[in-house]
Structure formats: C-alpha cells, structure tokens
Amino acid sequence: MTERIRNILKEHGRLSKDAATLPEDADLYQAGMTSHASVNVMLAIEGTFNIEFPDSMLKRSVFESIAAIRAAVEQLTAGG
Amino acid sequence: MNDPLDRVQRIAARVAAPHAADVDAKARFPREALDALREERLLATFVPRDLGGLGCGIADLAAMCTALSQQCASTGMVFAMHQIQVACLVRHGLTSPFFRQYLQDLARDQGLIASVTSEVGVGGDTRTSVCAVERAGGRFTLNKDATTISYGQHADALLVTARRDPEAPGGDQVLVLLRKTDYTIAQTTSWDTLGMRGTCSPGFKMLSSGAEEQIVPGSFADSSSQTMVPFSHILWSGVWLGIAADAVARASAFVSAQARQKPGQLPPTALRLAELSAKLQSMRANVHDVTAECDTLLKSPEGNEALLTMGFALKMNNLKISCSELVAEIVHKALLICGIMGYKNDSDFSLGRQLRDAHSAALMIGNDRIYAKNASMLMVFKNR
C-alpha cells in the first residue's frame, strides 16, 4: 500500500523531494505539496483504493504524511 | 452605554460619520475615528480580559464592523483588519510568554497592527510567500516587497507572512510580528483608488530584523485556516453588511419622502425598496448564521479541529463570495431607487462613496481565485 501511495504522490503531489525515498512521517506540505495538489492526491487515492473519504476526513492533517494517508486508507478499507 | 458595541456605535455616529466624506475625498487615514476607538480601548476588543482586553467574541467584532461601516467603510475596514491580526495572536500566540506580554502591552497602549500578506510575485495568494525568515543566533532578518499594506504608514506593528526558512517551499509559512522599532517601510506605489480610499493601502518595501520569539508558534497553514481566513471573511462581510445597510437606509428615506408627498399612492420606487429589503435580510442572515457557527466552533478543541476541514473552508469562501456580490448589487439597486439624488455627490441620498466602496469587495482576494479554490475542493467534497 505504501508503494502505491508513494507512486500517487510522485505523480500528483508536486513534491520538491523524491516521493520514493521520502521518510514516511515527513511533512508533505513542507515537502512542497500545495492544497491544490493535495486535492489531486485525494482523488487519485480514492480512485486507486476504491474508497471515498467522508467530508469529515477532508482536512490537512489526514494528508500531511505518507503514514497519515496510509492510516486513513486502512481505516476506510477495514470498515468496508 | 458601557457595552463595547454601544461605544462603537457612538463613535461611528459622532466621529466616523462627520469625517467620512473628507476621508474619502482626500484618500486619507480616518485618524479621528481610530483615535476615538483607541481612547475607548476598543483596539484590544478581542484580547482576553486577563490580559487587559475586553474579551469580546467574533460575533461582537462583526457587529462592530457593521456599525462603523454604516458611517465610514474605510474606518470599518481598518478596524476589521486590525482585529484579524489581533485574533491571530490571541488564538495562536498565548503559549508564548513574548506574545502574552505583547498582547498586554497592546491592551495598554492600543497599538494598531497592519497585515503584510501580499507580495510581489504571488499577488493576493496569502498561502504562498516568496520572502523567507533567515535565522542566526536567536535573531532573524526578514525583507518583503509587499504589493499592498493597508494603513502601513499609520500602524504601530506589522504581522507578516513569510516562508519558514530560505529552503522552505512557498506554502510552508510562518507569521512574524514586527514592532515599530523592528522595521522600516518605503512606499513603492500609490493609493488613488475608486473606493476604500481611507484604508491607505499602497505597496511598500519592508526591511526588518528581530528576535526569534517574535515568530508566532506553529504554522501559518493552521493559523490561516483556523483564524485568519474565518476572521477575515466574517469581519469583511460585517463591513459589507454595513455598507449595504447604509445604502438601504438612504433608499428607504428617499421612498418615505416620496410617499409623504402623496399619501395614499404607492411610489413607483416602493416595490424596488421591498425587493432590496429582502436582499439585505438574506445577506444579514448569511453573515449572522456563519458567524454564530464559527463562534461556537472557536470555543472548543473539537470545534477548532472542525475549522480545519474542507467543509468549513467552503462555507467561509461562500460567505465571502456571496456577501461581496450582494453588497455591490444592493448599493446599485439603492442608487436606482434614489435616482439622480443618489447620483449627486452632495445630496442627503448620495450613494457614490458606498457604490465605490462596495466594488472593492469582490477584489479583496479576487472572487475568481476563491471560486477556483472551491471548484478544486468540490471535486472531492461530497456535501453530505
């Protein structure tokens, strides 16, 4: 799962650092992800993992690191 | 008459109103009204009582912005912008001894804080900075080429956005407080505008240095979503509501005067006034509804978390877009009612200043920029 998240970040995150080697807890916004780019990351994650983020999860902190994104995806796939 | 809102209303009527035309004509700072607000200790309205302030909430502030702007929108906007800066410090600085002390000083000295978010190269995108804080040995230097600093020449302090450090990306920002002794500003552009002339908002090149403790704790990403954006959009909307209410009051007085001339006959303008009354009511309801919701959220930890959600950002942006469009529409329709008497600059029904002031609303952070942000968010937001 982490690899797929990294690939999504590589394609849509517009990071100034390499998504493949970025530490899992590194702050993606500090790595250059803009709020517009984060929306594209959200869309790609919903499409890739076939999930829908409820509106309450649509906030900065849920998408702030690779680890945070993985936790959110796990939470949604476990419940389904 | 000790209620802060009563005091603001009194200042609006007795001080802001008589100088409003001169402030507008000369594009000068509304110093009489600001001096009066200072004397009544109303520049520390949002500072908590234990730090010497009045401890008012966001709903009180919005009502004060409306009251001032019914008489002089430039005064209302200066007041609004100052309170937005104070709110950022109160809500994000209180863990720091430096900012606690600063806010106590502000409550005592009634200093005026200006905002420096705009910058050459990023325009009005407050969430991107070019300039960066450069730290060394507990000190920092920060230089910024700002496209606009409202009342920059008249402020006692500046609250500035900048990248966290020279290596940080444009969106990784902090807020930095600069006191008068920490900075110099050199004016780069003029301020001869259609409206909001008394806000005196030309561009400036700013040079500064200070101690690291002057950097507001945390990240501007959070303080922007949790404080600067909601306070800006709510207090600005409060200002615009004041302009709209002023215009409707003038139109109403005009229709009444017409009606008095021929009792028993409905003046042709009366229907238009009825239409305007409905529009003003929906604008007022929108401002009050969003303000009340925000007021509740600001008071709890869960609420503050909710301020960070996309749903809340959309609601704030919608308030800004809707009120900024409505104020221009309402003043325009009031002008149609008052006719040539509204068009004249020297009549009791004159609406020139209100019309020109109202047209600034859609430009303060351009509505298209906000629509684009909402369009982006709505791709993932589910509205449920």
Side-chain angles (χ1 to χ4, degrees):
Chain A
M1 183 189 293
T2 306
E3 285 318 299
R4 288 159 90 187
I5 294 171
R6 286 183 187 278
N7 284 337
I8 288 168
L9 286 169
K10 196 179 176 71
E11 194 171 349
H12 302 286
R14 300 229 186 158
L15 304 180
S16 55
K17 293 167 185 159
D18 185 3
T21 55
L22 199 66
E24 291 197 8
D25 58 351
D27 188 313
L28 295 173
Y29 300 101
Q30 288 183 6
M33 185 166 73
T34 63
S35 50
H36 183 69
S38 74
V39 167
N40 291 327
V41 168
M42 293 171 197
L43 287 168
I45 288 174
E46 288 191 334
T48 303
F49 296 101
N50 195 26
I51 53 173
E52 282 200 340
F53 291 110
D55 290 341
S56 60
M57 286 178 80
L58 295 176
K59 56 187 174 191
R60 231 179 129 77
S61 54
V62 174
F63 301 89
E64 72 187 355
S65 67
I66 293 170
I69 295 174
R70 193 181 53 225
V73 174
E74 279 169 354
Q75 183 190 332
L76 291 173
T77 46
Chain B
M1 291 299 266
N2 281 325
D3 176 47
L5 179 59
D6 286 341
R7 286 189 265 157
V8 169
Q9 278 168 337
R10 201 170 59 228
I11 290 169
R14 294 187 189 167
V15 188
H19 296 287
D22 189 61
V23 163
D24 179 52
K26 295 182 181 150
R28 69 158 178 90
F29 185 69
R31 58 175 185 278
E32 299 88 350
L34 266 295
D35 285 347
L37 289 165
R38 233 182 219 122
E39 272 166 38
E40 294 272 0
R41 317 199 59 73
L42 290 158
L43 294 190
T45 318
F46 192 74
V47 175
R49 283 169 190 274
D50 63 343
L51 296 179
L54 299 180
C56 292
I58 190 168
D60 304 310
L61 293 182
M64 291 172 185
C65 291
T66 303
L68 289 170
S69 304
Q70 279 177 269
Q71 307 297 342
C72 173
S74 287
T75 301
M77 191 51 90
V78 172
F79 179 81
M81 287 193 276
H82 164 77
Q83 301 296 351
I84 295 159
Q85 315 316 308
V86 173
C88 287
L89 299 182
V90 168
R91 288 185 27 81
H92 303 279
L94 290 188
T95 55
S96 137
F98 170 81
F99 283 106
R100 291 187 77 85
Q101 184 59 51
Y102 177 78
L103 288 165
Q104 280 180 312
D105 295 347
L106 182 124
R108 186 190 59 223
D109 305 334
Q110 297 288 301
L112 185 66
I113 313 177
S115 166
V116 191
T117 51
S118 71
E119 188 171 16
V120 172
V122 298
D125 179 9
T126 59
R127 284 290 288 107
T128 305
S129 287
V130 177
C131 67
V133 178
E134 299 192 40
R135 303 175 207 223
R139 304 273 304 166
F140 70 83
T141 56
L142 172 59
N143 303 325
K144 188 166 189 176
D145 193 356
T147 49
T148 174
I149 305 181
S150 288
Y151 55 92
Q153 286 299 10
H154 307 275
D156 303 297
L158 304 177
L159 193 58
V160 188
T161 50
R163 286 185 296 135
R164 186 181 299 279
D165 57 62
E167 278 70 50
D172 183 15
Q173 298 160 290
V174 288
L175 279 171
V176 183
L177 179 78
L178 303 172
R179 294 157 302 182
K180 199 107 189 171
T181 47
D182 303 320
Y183 66 85
T184 58
I185 50 173
Q187 192 171 332
T188 51
T189 57
S190 61
W191 183 253
D192 180 7
T193 50
L194 262 186
M196 287 296 183
R197 292 167 59 81
T199 62
C200 301
S201 315
F204 292 93
K205 270 201 163 77
M206 180 204 88
L207 305 176
S208 78
S209 63
E212 266 188 271
E213 61 185 3
Q214 291 170 239
I215 303 169
V216 177
S219 137
F220 180 58
D222 292 338
S223 52
S224 172
S225 300
Q226 290 182 313
T227 306
M228 192 179 275
V229 170
F231 275 74
S232 297
H233 290 187
I234 285 174
L235 299 192
W236 293 354
S237 295
V239 167
W240 302 331
L241 179 61
I243 299 174
D246 180 17
V248 173
R250 284 168 195 242
S252 179
F254 183 83
V255 173
S256 297
Q258 275 191 326
R260 273 184 228 115
Q261 286 173 3
K262 288 182 186 167
Q265 262 188 347
L266 195 66
T269 50
L271 285 187
R272 295 281 78 84
L273 179 64
E275 181 195 9
L276 215 48
S277 161
K279 281 191 193 296
L280 181 66
Q281 184 175 321
S282 75
M283 182 179 182
R284 196 184 296 280
N286 196 358
V287 175
H288 288 185
D289 177 61
V290 177
T291 304
E293 180 179 340
C294 187
D295 199 18
T296 307
L297 293 177
L298 291 171
K299 286 172 181 156
S300 73
E302 307 79 51
N304 273 288
E305 199 54 30
L307 296 174
L308 293 167
T309 60
M310 221 175 240
F312 185 75
L314 278 163
K315 191 170 284 183
M316 278 297 130
N317 288 348
N318 286 337
L319 175 73
K320 193 273 168 181
I321 288 170
S322 149
C323 289
S324 63
E325 288 175 352
L326 261 176
V327 65
E329 186 188 340
I330 287 174
V331 180
H332 174 68
K333 291 199 159 151
L335 175 65
L336 295 181
I337 290 172
C338 296
I340 196 73
M341 294 306 282
Y343 198 63
K344 283 187 171 187
N345 283 325
D346 56 357
S347 96
D348 289 343
F349 305 102
S350 174
L351 284 161
R353 172 166 54 84
Q354 290 77 358
L355 190 69
R356 290 181 286 103
D357 286 346
H359 279 293
S360 70
L363 315 178
M364 288 184 63
I365 304 188
N367 279 2
D368 273 355
R369 186 192 293 276
I370 298 180
Y371 271 124
K373 281 194 171 173
N374 280 6
S376 172
M377 288 191 274
L378 285 165
M379 289 192 293
V380 284
F381 190 74
K382 281 105 194 154
N383 274 301
R384 61 174 191 244

